[in-house]
Amino acid sequence: MSIIDKIVLNPVQREAVLYDDGPQLVFAGAGTGKTRVLTAKIAWLIEQGLYPAEIFAATFTNKAAREMRSRVEALTSLPVEGMWIGTFHSMCARILRREGTHIGYLPSFTIYDTADQLSLMKKVLKSLQIDDRSMPPRQALGKISSYKNSCTPPEKLENEARSFYDQELIRVYKAYQKALRDQQAMDFDDLLANTVYLFERAPAVLERYRHAFKHVLVDEYQDTNTAQFLFLKLLSQNHGRVFVVGDDDQSIYGWRGAQIENILSFEREFPGTKVFTLEQNYRSTKVILDFANAAIKENQTRAPKKLWTSRDSGDEVTVNRFRDDRQEGDAVAERIEELQRKGVKGGDMAILFRTNAQSRVFEEVLRRRKIPYILIGGISFYERAEIKDCLAYLRLLVNPKDNVSFERIFNLPSRGLGEKAYENLAELAGKRNESLLEALLTGDPAALAPRYQQGFSEVRDIFALLADCEKQHEPPPQIFNEMLKLSGYMDMLTGEDTEESAGRIENINELANALTIWTEEQHPDKGLADFLEEVTLATDVDAWDQKDEAVNMMTLHCAKGLEFRCVFLVGLEDGIIPSRQNFDDEKKVEEERRLLYVGITRAMQRLECSHVDYRWRFGDLIPGYPSRFLQSIPQELYTFRDRSNYFGTPAAEEKKKAKKERAGLRQASLLTPSARPRTPVYDRDDFSQETVEFRMGQFVTHRIYGRGRIVSISGFGEDMKLSVLFNDGSRKKLMAPYIRTALSYTTNK
């Protein structure tokens, strides 16, 4: 029996798997079985005679790569260890460790995470005598990241710098890259850009990899940036056997360099492309899909497609209006308890929001009600201070040139080495043209000030002994335990004897467990450097372990690729989704709409949306208005429930009212139906021009320019200006004295 006969595929899926006559683009809508198609394609290629090592398959999370590998092995009944399957970053790192010497990197280079980058950037700005108030480190890193994502080195920018700021940024970019190279380190963006540079500068290396990979496959292609596109183009240029799967309607990472144009222009970039469109959804009910289709239909930059399902219509989609975010939190928690009583597990439910800040209210109410939950996207385990301290010791053992890691731990635990001691050692390292640790290990101790020699002697002994452990090929868990003992780090925490230090000790023990399992059960043939690389490249979703009883909470960005039986989509207000900072950019507004679409399509059986009239911000109640995206969804596709007067059970209502009176909440008097802002999404009554209050997202009609939508408002009263995006694509600014006569208000499309 052929592998293709073992898998249940619909006609379009089957045709996509069996086609092998040039480039392929598979538009795979949410829940249409793209992973099934991708794994079936790989298994079929192996059945046709390709060796696993001749297949390059790129994903965007390690979790997806593991799942894909497992499915392929189950289908082929063969181990596929030789197959290159993983994230772009992990596989580019693999290439660079093998071939990086062509561009000046040793195989032991360190991968810097966001915190490491920030630490290095601060040093770069200080060395260049640039005030970090005029060029904030995070802002500089963001600009440099965009250059790297487009594979633009600083040398190419020198003739384009038009302002003093641009000139300074190029200077910072150069110094930052030099500092990375000196420390034999790369950041995440370097892994992609440097692989492209490697292929461009070493044609023989490129030709070897072109010959090695007979077929290239990419998952989530809509999320690729320019560097990833160039990498793919270079790798597959000879044979053209490229198979990409993606959904332009789920392209939500433009803020970190993803180019939706990559998937929309694929046919032009890869001539002879065969396009397949998967529209049959196997995840959600019909009512959820109708709601999702209506939400995304407004976007202009998209390939035409419409999700459908053969499943029953399912439970109604609801859109709830609440008084404020506290009431929203209480109501969602009550609904969760109700569903749990009906047998729905907490792990089958998710609360999705646009920003991390929105989680606080839900965390408080779930804790108060003793409802277990997991927050995805908070402080990662590997970002905790004690974990980063331990990893810094290990990273230095692998790469002694890593000054960022050395600075973190050279006086931890305290060895009497402060800023002056660091400067003394840095001066010695500069004279010897070595890293800080190299200068300490090989330099003349007498060159250091006498009062620092004892402390530095301790550091020197620790790393000399640890280096012996590595030379003797001791397993990573043993090296880790030696490090804890020799450094005195665990003794430091034990000596503190506090609840906080006990928690930190537990975290370190968990790191020891993770390293042991990784070494003994998962990767017995790999070493410490491989472990450090894997944990550095891990994402929040990779570390997520869905539990039966814990309700899942995460941002919409984190939720991509996941699915839940019940989804609570909260905070659907203008200024949150779409984000206020994106109001004036229609391209960004479209991405925000795609983000909403991603949230909707996570739901399998039940979807409950909500928005509030008031939201607590900066210690005050700020009015909120329903998201403009809701206006494009016909009301017959959902049930609207105005719960803004709801306080819960009668007993709960009296309790809450009494609490508000005791607190003297001045805003309580504002929260009456007559004082709340009008909600044009749900109230279809006509307004007179004398009483209408213009709001962002409203649709208006101009007697000359026609229909349009308000995208921004500035000023008040007679000084008010409206920026209106009209249907013909033009954008006009209109002054208040002419607004009432020139515009007419409309509440629906």
Side-chain angles (χ1 to χ4, degrees), residues 354 572-593 617 623-629 695-698 709-714 723-725 731:
R354 174 65 178 84
L572 299 188
E573 296 134 42
D574 258 15
I576 295 180
I577 185 165
S579 171
R580 188 176 307 280
Q581 63 193 37
N582 294 333
F583 279 167
D584 290 333
D585 189 328
E586 191 61 24
K587 185 177 179 180
K588 291 182 179 179
V589 168
E590 288 208 351
E591 180 164 318
E592 295 273 325
R593 190 179 283 109
R617 286 186 181 178
Y625 305 98
S627 171
R628 65 192 67 181
F629 297 154
R695 292 189 293 277
M696 287 176 284
Q698 288 179 349
R709 182 172 56 202
I710 299 174
V711 294
S712 69
I713 301 174
S714 60
S723 179
V724 181
L725 181 66
R731 188 189 296 262

Side-chain angles (χ1 to χ4, degrees), residues 292-306:
N293 286 328
I296 199 63
K297 188 178 178 181
E298 280 269 297
N299 274 10
Q300 301 299 309
T301 308
R302 65 185 294 260
K305 71 184 80 68
K306 186 175 182 179

Side-chain angles (χ1 to χ4, degrees), residues 512-551:
N513 294 337
L515 182 54
T516 300
I517 293 170
W518 185 90
T519 302
E520 296 180 358
E521 298 181 14
Q522 298 173 348
H523 304 283
D525 57 332
K526 294 186 177 181
L528 188 58
D530 299 296
F531 174 78
L532 293 173
E533 179 177 307
E534 187 168 306
V535 299
T536 304
L537 296 177
T539 66
D540 294 324
V541 173
D542 289 329
W544 172 60
D545 182 19
Q546 191 169 9
K547 293 179 171 55
D548 283 349
E549 299 308 322
V551 175

Side-chain angles (χ1 to χ4, degrees), residues 13-40:
Q13 292 173 332
R14 186 182 181 89
E15 186 183 358
V17 171
L18 295 177
Y19 182 85
D20 193 27
D21 192 23
Q24 290 177 257
L25 167 60
V26 179
F27 280 113
T32 58
K34 71 175 177 64
T35 304
R36 176 185 294 262
V37 171
L38 199 52
T39 52

